[in-house]
Amino acid sequence: MTEKTQPDLARREFLSQGAKAAAGLTLAPGVMLYGVAEAKPADQAVTSKVRWGMLIDTTKCASGCNACVQACNEENGLGNEKKSRAEQVPQYIRKVELREKATGRVVSMPMMCQHCENPPCADVCPTGASFKRADGVVLVDRHICIGCRYCMMACPYKARSLVHEALEDQKANNPRGKGCVEACNLCIPRVDEGGQPACVEACAAEGHKAMIFGDLNDPKSEIAQRVAKYATTQVRADLGLNPGVRYQGI
Amino acid sequence: MNHLKKLLQMVPAVVALTLSAPALAGVPVPDVPQAVKGEQCVEPIDDMRRNHMKYLQHHRDDTMHRGIRTKQHSLKECLECHVPAQQPNKGSQGSEQHFCQSCHTYAGVRIDCFECHATLPEKSALFHPLVTPAMKAAKQVHTPDSATLLNRLAGNLPNGTEN
Amino acid sequence: MKKTLFTQIEGGKGFYGLLAAFGAVILAGLAAVYHMEHNGHWVTGMDNQIVWGLPHVFAIFLIVAASGALNVASIASVFGKKMYKPLAPMSAFLAVTLLLGGLTVLVLDLGRPDRLIVAMTYYNFKSIFAWNIILYNGFLAIVAVYLWMMLEKRMNRYSTPVGYVAFVWRLILTTGTGSIFGFLVAREAYDAALLAPMFIVMSFSFGLAIFMLVLLGSYKMTDRPLGDMVLRRLKNLLAVFVAGVLYFVLVYHVTNLYATQHHGVEAFILKDGGIFTTMFWFGQILIGSIAPLAIFFHPTLSKSRQWLGIGAVLVVLGGLAQVFVIVIGGQAYPLNLFPGYEVTSTFFDGQVNTYSPTLAEFLLGVMGLGVALAVFAVGAKALRLMPASLADDMVDPH
C-alpha cells in the first residue's frame, strides 16, 4: 500500500523555498539565524541525526510572567481536571523562582522535562512506555503505560505528572487519560511538522525571547551556535544525564 | 439414564434459543453513522472491517516511536471523515452514536482509545499554520487546498489529478 | 528420630469464623479498589509529589516479608538444621501467600490495572521493575515446586537441590526489591547500594516475625502441642535478625551524616520531619527494634509465649514504620535541583511534601494481609502443611 504524501510534498516544497529565501539575520555578534527547521517528510522515521534541544536565557525571563505555562496548558488541553487537588493537577512546564541563599540573588525560570540523553525515567519503566525517541525527545507511549508511576519516582526534575481522574475534551494533538503518566513532549506534533513548541512561541510573542528551540546537532542552528559560544548549564549536571534543555544565567 | 437422555435432548433447543437470543431480546443492530466526507474509505470496506485494529495498532507504534505521521491509517484522520465535528459526542467513552462506539457496543468489544483520544475531529490541527492561502499566493506556490487534498486522499477526484 | 507427621487442620467454627473475618477485610479492600480505580487516583492522598503511598508501604512490606518467610525452610534445606525441617512446608506456603498478598495490593493500585497483560508482554529489561515481575512470578513457581518436593514422599530427596534454587532466587528477588529504591539517582534518601542488602536483612526479620505469629496462632487455635525448644530457637534467630536490621540502619544513617550534602535529608528524617521523625524513632527504632530485643533477651519475659507474640507483633509494626519512612519519607523530602538556592514554584518544588492517606488506601493495604492469611488458612486445611506435634520430644534439636 503506498502512503499518500501529497500534502507533505507541498509543505516541504514551501518550507525549502522559504528556507532558501530567508536572509541571515544577525541576532547577536557572531550568531546568525539560518532559516527555520525543516519539517521531515511524514513517512520518514526520525533519526538521531537530529537532536532537539532548548536553550533558556534566565536573564530574559520575567518574574511575574508565565506565558509559557499558559501557552502549554492551552496547546495540550491541561487544566480540565475538575476533581484533582492542586497537588494532583498535572503540569508539563512550571515557573520556578530561585533565590540564592548565600547572596540573595533572585532568578526566575521555566522548568519542564529536560529530555535527557540518558533518561532515568526510560530506564525504570517496566513496559518501555517511557522512552527516548531517536531524535532526543523523551515521550510517554500512553498505549502501554500501566500507571505504575515509577518514572515519576525516578525523574530528577519532577517533570512527570499522573492524570488522577477521567478526562473529557482532550486536544486532538495531545491524547491524555486517567491513570497514565504524562510530561512535556516538546510539542512534538508541532515540531514534526516544522513548528516550534508552544512555550517558545509564546515567550517570543510576549517579547522576552528567553526560550530558543532547535536542533543541537545542526551546527548552523541558532541554538547550537549559542551553546558553543556562551556558557550554559544543565540542571543537576552531576547526574550525567546530558539533558537537551540548557540554561543561561544560573 | 433416562434423565440424562432428556437433558441431552434439551441441549439443541437451549443452544438454538441462546443463539437467537439477540434477535429475540432485541440488541439493536448498530446504526452506523454515514461518513461525513468523501465517498470511499482509505481501505476497502471489508478489509477495514476485519483489519482496522491492526492498521491502527501498527500505525500508532509507527507514530509514537518513529515519528511517522502519515495520514492513511491515522486515528485522527479516521475521525476527520467519519465523525461530524458538530456532533455532541461528549464523554470520554464516547456516546453510542459515535462511529467507533456503535459497532463496538454491538460486537461487545471494549475499546479504550477514547479514554485518551479526542472523540471529535479538530480541523485546526490538520494543517500547519505556516501554510496559509495568503502566503501561498505571495510565493506563487500552487498547492491544492485542504478540501482538494482530502478528496484526493479519499479517492474522489478523477484519475488525472492523482499522483 | 521420630518421623514428623503432617496433618491438615480441621474445619469447625473457629476456622470458618477466621475465614469470615479475612473475607470481610478482603471485601472492604475490594470496595476500596473499585472506588479508586473507577474514579481515578484523585480520591487518594497520593499526588504528583507523594507518588507512592500507603498501599505501596503495605505491598513492599508483604513482598519483603514473603521472601523472609521462606528462610525457615531454607535453613532446613540449605543449612541442614534438622530442627527446622518440620517447619519447612508451612514456611514455604506462607512465603507464597505473603507474596500473593503483596502483589495483589501492588497490581490493584496501578493507574491502569486493566493493562496488567501489557506489563506481562512488553518488557524493558533495563528496568528493575520488569525484572521484579519475572522474579516474583518465578518465585511463586519455584516455591510451588519446592512445596511439592517437601510434601510428596518420593520427591523428598529433591527438596534440598530445589531448596538451594529457592534460596538463591529469593536473595535475588529481595535484592531486586531493595534496588527499586537503590537505583534511583533522583532522590537523596535513595540512591544507595546499601538498600539492597538492607532489604535482605529486613526480609529475614519481618518474615520470621510473621512466621512466628502464624505458628503461635495456628497451633493455639488447633490445640496442637508447640514445644519451647522450637520457640526458643526461633526467638533467638529473630533477635539476631532484628539486631542485623538495626546495624544496617545505623550504617546507612551514619554514612549519610558524614556527607555534608546529605545533611538536609538526614535532618529531615532524624529531627525535623514531623510524622516521619516520629515514625523513625518511635516506630522503627523503639517499637520495632529496641523493645523486641529487650523482650527477647529478658530472662523471664523471653520464656513467656504471650511476650514472644507481643515481641513479634512489635517487629511487624516497626517494620511497617520502617517501610513507611523509606517509601514516603523519601518522597516527602524535596528533590534538590538547585543546590544553594531556595526554590518555590506552582508545582510544589523546594518544599516538604505532605501526605494524608485516605481510608481507601489503608483498606487496600490491609487487604493484602487479609489475602495472605486467608489463602494460608485455606491451604493449611487443604494440604498437610502443619506437623501434628512440635513438642520438644518430637523435634530433632540439631
Side-chain angles (χ1 to χ4, degrees):
Chain A
M1 244 338 134
T2 55
E3 305 273 19
K4 304 252 175 10
T5 58
Q6 285 96 318
D8 308 288
L9 273 175
R11 192 174 306 132
R12 188 165 36 160
E13 216 180 276
F14 168 72
L15 279 171
S16 67
Q17 287 191 4
K20 285 183 218 139
L25 294 165
T26 309
L27 296 172
V31 181
M32 304 276 282
L33 171 63
Y34 278 85
V36 299
E38 254 187 42
K40 66 158 182 66
D43 60 340
Q44 237 180 54
V46 291
T47 64
S48 52
K49 281 214 305 268
V50 169
R51 187 179 176 200
W52 296 119
M54 226 193 265
L55 176 61
I56 296 169
D57 187 350
T58 63
T59 60
K60 297 203 188 120
C61 185
S63 191
C65 171
N66 65 346
C68 49
V69 177
Q70 284 171 346
C72 172
N73 289 355
E74 170 64 35
E75 169 77 12
N76 291 302
L78 304 181
N80 59 346
E81 301 85 16
K82 302 188 193 86
K83 300 189 182 130
S84 302
R85 288 175 292 146
E87 294 94 339
Q88 294 171 331
V89 169
Q91 265 198 289
Y92 290 6
I93 182 174
R94 72 250 194 208
K95 283 295 295 290
V96 174
E97 309 290 320
L98 304 176
R99 195 189 83 88
E100 196 171 349
K101 281 191 264 204
T103 65
R105 183 174 147 257
V106 172
V107 178
S108 173
M109 48 175 264
M111 190 76 201
M112 73 296 282
C113 169
Q114 304 285 284
H115 298 282
C116 309
E117 190 183 358
N118 304 303
C121 61
D123 284 346
V124 302
C125 177
T127 58
S130 176
F131 70 101
K132 188 186 71 160
R133 218 169 72 161
D135 55 357
V137 183
V138 177
L139 297 169
V140 179
D141 183 352
R142 276 162 247 175
H143 305 112
I144 51 179
C145 174
I146 58 174
C148 73
R149 290 105 75 200
Y150 197 17
C151 61
M152 291 170 73
M153 291 287 274
C155 177
Y157 307 102
K158 210 159 80 76
R160 290 256 163 115
S161 306
L162 174 73
V163 179
H164 285 75
E165 61 184 272
L167 298 176
E168 298 175 8
D169 294 332
Q170 294 94 331
K171 297 275 171 170
N173 260 351
N174 188 36
R176 50 193 293 256
K178 175 180 71 138
C180 284
V181 174
E182 52 180 9
C184 158
N185 59 358
L186 274 189
C187 280
I188 207 66
R190 285 184 167 218
V191 168
D192 278 350
E193 293 178 353
Q196 303 246 303
C199 51
V200 175
E201 275 187 10
C203 190
E206 283 290 308
H208 298 136
K209 293 201 182 60
M211 301 171 79
I212 309 174
F213 172 81
D215 179 5
L216 287 166
N217 282 351
D218 176 9
K220 294 207 229 67
S221 72
E222 184 195 350
I223 187 174
Q225 291 176 0
R226 274 246 189 115
V227 299
K229 194 173 167 72
Y230 300 109
T232 57
T233 50
Q234 297 164 321
V235 179
R236 295 191 89 167
D238 58 310
L239 296 177
L241 307 172
N242 193 15
V245 178
R246 283 173 171 268
Y247 292 85
Q248 272 178 281
I250 52 166
Chain B
M1 207 44 215
N2 248 352
H3 291 293
L4 201 60
K5 262 202 196 157
K6 278 212 185 119
L7 268 166
L8 281 173
Q9 278 163 2
M10 277 171 62
V11 166
V14 171
V15 169
L17 265 175
T18 318
L19 286 179
S20 56
L24 293 176
V27 171
V29 173
D31 175 24
V32 180
Q34 186 79 325
V36 295
K37 287 198 198 114
E39 279 171 17
Q40 196 189 329
C41 188
V42 293
E43 302 284 353
I45 290 187
D46 49 344
D47 185 21
M48 253 317 181
R49 279 189 185 146
R50 275 181 200 285
N51 296 323
H52 65 277
M53 63 291 276
K54 289 197 207 122
Y55 291 136
L56 284 171
Q57 187 159 28
H58 184 69
H59 188 81
R60 84 175 190 199
D61 291 338
D62 272 349
T63 303
M64 278 272 14
H65 291 262
R66 301 168 67 209
I68 291 174
R69 292 183 192 269
T70 51
K71 299 198 191 299
Q72 183 157 6
H73 294 154
S74 150
L75 179 68
K76 247 172 38 175
E77 293 306 309
C78 302
L79 297 182
E80 283 292 328
C81 285
H82 282 284
V83 177
Q86 286 77 32
Q87 196 167 343
N89 277 319
K90 299 301 171 188
S92 55
Q93 293 295 327
S95 74
E96 297 268 320
Q97 292 86 40
H98 193 264
F99 172 72
C100 312
Q101 197 57 47
S102 56
C103 261
H104 272 271
T105 307
Y106 180 73
V109 178
R110 183 174 159 266
I111 47 171
D112 63 358
C113 319
F114 299 106
E115 286 186 34
C116 290
H117 281 276
T119 51
L120 297 175
E122 197 172 45
K123 290 178 75 65
S124 59
L126 245 193
F127 293 103
H128 195 274
L130 258 181
V131 187
T132 61
M135 289 172 102
K136 275 188 279 193
K139 295 251 165 226
Q140 285 174 340
V141 170
H142 295 289
T143 55
D145 63 16
S146 53
T148 321
L149 284 170
L150 262 174
N151 282 319
R152 245 195 228 162
L153 196 68
N156 274 348
L157 294 178
N159 284 339
T161 45
E162 250 188 287
N163 259 8
Chain C
M1 183 40 221
K2 296 190 189 105
K3 268 189 94 64
T4 321
L5 176 67
F6 292 95
T7 56
Q8 297 157 276
I9 62 174
E10 284 160 25
K13 273 205 301 238
F15 175 75
Y16 288 108
L18 200 65
L19 272 191
F22 293 148
V25 168
I26 294 174
L27 268 176
L30 286 175
V33 168
Y34 179 74
H35 178 60
M36 279 167 60
E37 206 271 321
H38 186 68
N39 289 301
H41 273 70
W42 73 270
V43 301
T44 70
M46 296 181 266
D47 50 40
N48 293 326
Q49 281 68 239
I50 304 290
V51 169
W52 285 348
L54 211 55
H56 296 84
V57 170
F58 277 96
I60 290 170
F61 176 80
L62 286 169
I63 291 173
V64 164
S67 71
L70 190 64
N71 232 11
V72 170
S74 301
I75 296 177
S77 299
V78 174
F79 297 98
K81 299 285 179 204
K82 297 211 181 64
M83 192 213 81
Y84 292 86
K85 237 175 143 36
L87 304 170
M90 273 178 73
S91 153
F93 194 69
L94 186 63
V96 165
T97 62
L98 284 172
L99 189 66
L100 278 177
L103 289 177
T104 306
V105 177
L106 206 60
V107 164
L108 290 175
D109 176 76
L110 289 176
R112 300 216 52 154
D114 54 310
R115 290 212 178 138
L116 191 58
I117 211 78
V118 171
M120 300 282 186
T121 46
Y122 285 77
Y123 271 99
N124 168 25
F125 283 110
K126 196 161 179 203
S127 163
I128 193 69
F129 246 30
W131 278 108
N132 279 349
I133 294 176
I134 298 175
L135 286 169
Y136 295 157
N137 288 316
F139 182 81
L140 291 174
I142 289 177
V143 176
V145 171
Y146 188 26
L147 255 175
W148 171 32
M149 300 294 127
M150 287 191 280
L151 293 178
E152 188 168 337
K153 213 46 163 281
R154 62 194 173 117
M155 307 300 275
N156 276 348
R157 54 208 160 111
Y158 301 120
S159 65
T160 302
V162 178
Y164 268 92
V165 174
F167 182 65
V168 171
W169 193 273
R170 54 76 102 234
L171 284 179
I172 301 176
L173 185 151
T174 320
T175 306
T177 310
S179 299
I180 292 176
F181 302 98
F183 284 178
L184 294 181
V185 298
R187 297 182 188 256
E188 277 190 55
Y190 307 148
D191 186 26
L194 193 70
L195 283 176
M198 186 163 98
F199 268 62
I200 290 198
V201 184
M202 281 160 69
S203 80
F204 291 165
S205 169
F206 305 161
L208 185 55
I210 296 187
F211 178 80
M212 274 180 72
L213 286 169
V214 168
L215 187 68
L216 282 166
S218 59
Y219 272 70
K220 191 154 171 53
M221 287 183 89
T222 54
D223 280 325
R224 293 177 186 220
L226 178 59
D228 281 334
M229 176 166 56
V230 166
L231 282 177
R232 187 170 45 84
R233 292 276 287 273
L234 289 178
K235 159 196 75 94
N236 287 340
L237 195 58
L238 183 55
V240 169
F241 291 155
V242 171
V245 173
L246 201 53
Y247 165 74
F248 269 88
V249 170
L250 193 72
V251 171
Y252 171 82
H253 284 287
V254 167
T255 310
N256 268 358
L257 282 167
Y258 219 87
T260 314
Q261 72 177 115
H262 288 309
H263 281 179
V265 71
E266 283 297 312
F268 176 70
I269 300 280
L270 301 179
K271 197 162 63 82
D272 306 320
I275 178 75
F276 302 106
T277 306
T278 313
M279 280 281 200
F280 178 77
W281 287 114
F282 189 66
Q284 181 180 335
I285 300 294
L286 188 65
I287 292 186
S289 308
I290 297 184
L293 283 175
I295 293 175
F296 295 151
F297 287 125
H298 194 277
T300 38
L301 294 181
S302 62
K303 296 197 172 47
S304 149
R305 263 165 218 225
Q306 254 139 347
W307 278 102
L308 280 185
I310 291 174
V313 168
L314 292 181
V315 172
V316 167
L317 291 175
L320 281 168
Q322 180 167 14
V323 179
F324 183 89
V325 170
I326 292 175
V327 173
I328 300 183
Q331 298 173 75
Y333 189 71
L335 292 169
N336 190 10
L337 268 66
F338 305 102
Y341 284 87
E342 276 169 18
V343 184
T344 51
S345 80
T346 52
F347 202 46
F348 307 95
D349 290 280
Q351 61 183 72
V352 169
N353 303 307
T354 53
Y355 173 60
S356 313
T358 56
L359 181 64
E361 295 164 78
F362 177 73
L363 289 176
L364 171 58
V366 172
M367 177 173 89
L369 202 58
V371 165
L373 293 175
V375 176
F376 184 83
V378 170
K381 185 164 189 302
L383 302 169
R384 295 199 199 118
L385 296 175
M386 290 168 55
S389 167
L390 282 172
D392 286 351
D393 54 351
M394 296 289 292
V395 173
D396 186 342
H398 300 104

